[in-house]
Amino acid sequence: MTTEPTTTRPAGEAVRFSVLDRSRTREGRSNAEALRDTVRFAREVEELGYHRFWVSEHHGVPGVAGSAPTVLAAAVAGATRTIRVGTGGVMLPNHRPLVVAEQFGVLESLFPGRIDMGLGRSVGFTDGVRRALGRGKDDADDFAGQLDELLGWFRGTDPTGVHARPAEGLTVPPFVLAMGEGATIAARAGLPMVIGDLRDREKMQRGIDRYRALFRPSPWAAEPYVVISGTVAVAATPEEARRLLIPEAWSMAYSRTHGTFPPLPPAERVEGLTMTAKERGFYESGLTGHIAGTEEQVAHELETVLKETGAQELLITTSSYDRDALLDSYRRLARIVGGAGIPPSA
């Protein structure tokens, strides 16, 4: 049994470019609109040639509508034709592995050869959410065991004698979202790894190096496969690219100072705000470290980060209030990588 990403990238080999959409809500817009935006956006980036489209899992967050990633992935897969669809990710400690296997088995059965299974080890963000999920912080400590159990359902090796229908015998490529110990877990399980973010390149590189050093070939992947994730904003001018980052930077600053992550505000409203020194510090920090600028500037930055990391794939996670400007950014990025001879889909 092998999965779609099985090899490391030799010098000169094409890099895949993919999208993670977190179904961010916007001020004055409903959760339903945010979810419809996600499905529509998947169709748009498919036309641009991106390799895969992933959705995320969040619970009890005012600024995120995507709480059920496998359900949303089904809607995305049903609305598209060729792009790979998956999760970035399903937070495994929140669920029973058997149920996760069954859900992905259904997805793979309905959309064969197009489904990815991105898996994370986070639990609910707050004590209240964790209580509602029936989970505690320590549930993340057994992520490696949960991951092994999940993969066992696909192989038909679970010792209970129960069979996961229709998952057993199917091949759904698993990926591990590597935060903290995730790189080590991914390496020892022999699975592809997704790591971020671009704002701390040294920390990201240490995780990649540890993953490659500890990697053990498995039935799922013969060699290490690295996906780096982060924000990329492309516009006609550096100022316009920076404005794309403003709504997310302010929402992050607000969450750090008020304890809740709000819907994305328009950039012009944020620019008119009077911030406290603490808010301003978090806000300015949220604007730095990303890849943002004109097509020429972004092309140079991408070449640098891909050369440094040797990553096989880049997963773009950009969110913004202005959906038209956001799509234009992804369109410009597709033009950059296509013109550079590294098409989005290898």
Side-chain angles (χ1 to χ4, degrees):
M1 179 187 299
T2 58
T3 65
E4 178 239 2
T6 57
T7 59
T8 54
R9 178 170 60 90
E13 183 177 308
V15 177
R16 292 170 170 139
F17 284 75
S18 300
V19 177
L20 168 63
D21 187 83
R22 289 173 290 146
S23 302
R24 295 285 277 110
T25 56
R26 294 180 287 163
E27 284 188 357
R29 310 295 178 92
S30 67
N31 288 324
E33 186 170 356
L35 295 171
R36 289 193 293 267
D37 283 343
T38 291
V39 176
R40 181 168 54 249
F41 191 44
R43 290 197 297 263
E44 290 166 339
V45 300
E46 179 181 55
E47 292 178 1
L48 293 173
Y50 285 86
H51 184 63
R52 59 180 110 241
F53 187 93
W54 284 3
V55 296
S56 62
E57 175 182 341
H58 296 274
H59 299 284
V61 181
V64 182
S67 57
T70 54
V71 176
L72 185 52
V76 168
T80 54
R81 296 178 298 105
T82 58
I83 196 168
R84 297 192 65 85
V85 177
T87 56
V90 165
M91 297 299 129
L92 194 51
N94 291 338
H95 311 278
R96 292 301 308 165
L98 170 61
V99 175
V100 175
E102 290 171 337
Q103 290 172 346
F104 279 98
V106 169
L107 284 170
E108 176 63 21
S109 298
L110 292 172
F111 308 101
R114 291 181 56 204
I115 301 301
D116 300 322
M117 185 169 57
L119 305 162
R121 63 189 296 268
S122 297
V123 290
F125 293 127
T126 66
D127 289 339
V129 170
R130 287 190 289 270
R131 284 195 299 271
L133 290 170
R135 297 292 184 266
K137 289 184 178 180
D138 57 351
D139 283 300
D141 296 340
D142 190 35
F143 178 65
Q146 296 160 354
L147 185 61
D148 185 62
E149 180 184 344
L150 172 62
L151 299 181
W153 290 116
F154 287 92
R155 297 191 298 262
T157 58
D158 192 88
T160 62
V162 175
H163 298 275
R165 311 291 188 194
E168 188 174 313
L170 296 181
T171 300
V172 182
F175 296 73
V176 172
L177 277 60
M179 300 297 176
E181 298 178 8
T184 300
I185 293 171
R188 289 176 175 167
L191 300 179
M193 176 186 72
V194 183
I195 189 167
D197 62 43
L198 292 168
R199 289 180 297 175
D200 192 340
R201 305 282 179 86
E202 291 185 4
K203 181 179 179 181
M204 183 176 68
Q205 190 63 57
R206 288 195 299 271
I208 292 171
D209 292 343
R210 182 167 66 253
Y211 167 72
R212 289 188 174 129
L214 297 175
F215 185 85
R216 301 172 182 172
S218 76
W220 301 94
E223 297 178 2
Y225 188 90
V226 175
V227 183
I228 56 175
S229 67
T231 295
V232 179
V234 197
T237 67
E239 293 74 24
E240 290 177 42
R242 184 180 184 275
R243 291 192 91 241
L244 271 172
L245 306 177
I246 286 174
E248 183 80 13
W250 169 245
S251 291
M252 184 63 70
Y254 188 92
S255 72
R256 298 289 297 275
T257 53
H258 293 78
T260 184
F261 202 73
L264 295 174
E268 55 269 23
R269 189 176 78 75
V270 177
E271 291 172 326
L273 290 175
T274 300
M275 303 183 195
T276 66
K278 188 175 183 179
E279 288 172 337
R280 176 67 63 179
F282 285 129
Y283 171 67
E284 294 294 344
S285 175
L287 291 171
T288 61
H290 307 292
I291 297 178
T294 64
E295 292 178 38
E296 182 179 3
Q297 291 170 328
V298 169
H300 175 73
E301 189 75 14
L302 283 174
E303 183 180 3
T304 299
V305 71
L306 290 171
K307 183 178 180 180
E308 289 175 350
T309 62
Q312 286 91 345
E313 189 167 340
L314 181 61
L315 183 68
I316 313 300
T317 63
T318 313
S319 299
S320 193
Y321 181 91
D322 188 334
R323 300 293 299 189
D324 291 335
L326 182 65
L327 177 59
D328 182 65
S329 175
Y330 278 89
R331 185 180 294 115
R332 289 174 182 272
L333 177 59
R335 189 160 62 222
I336 290 170
V337 298
I342 45 173
S345 182

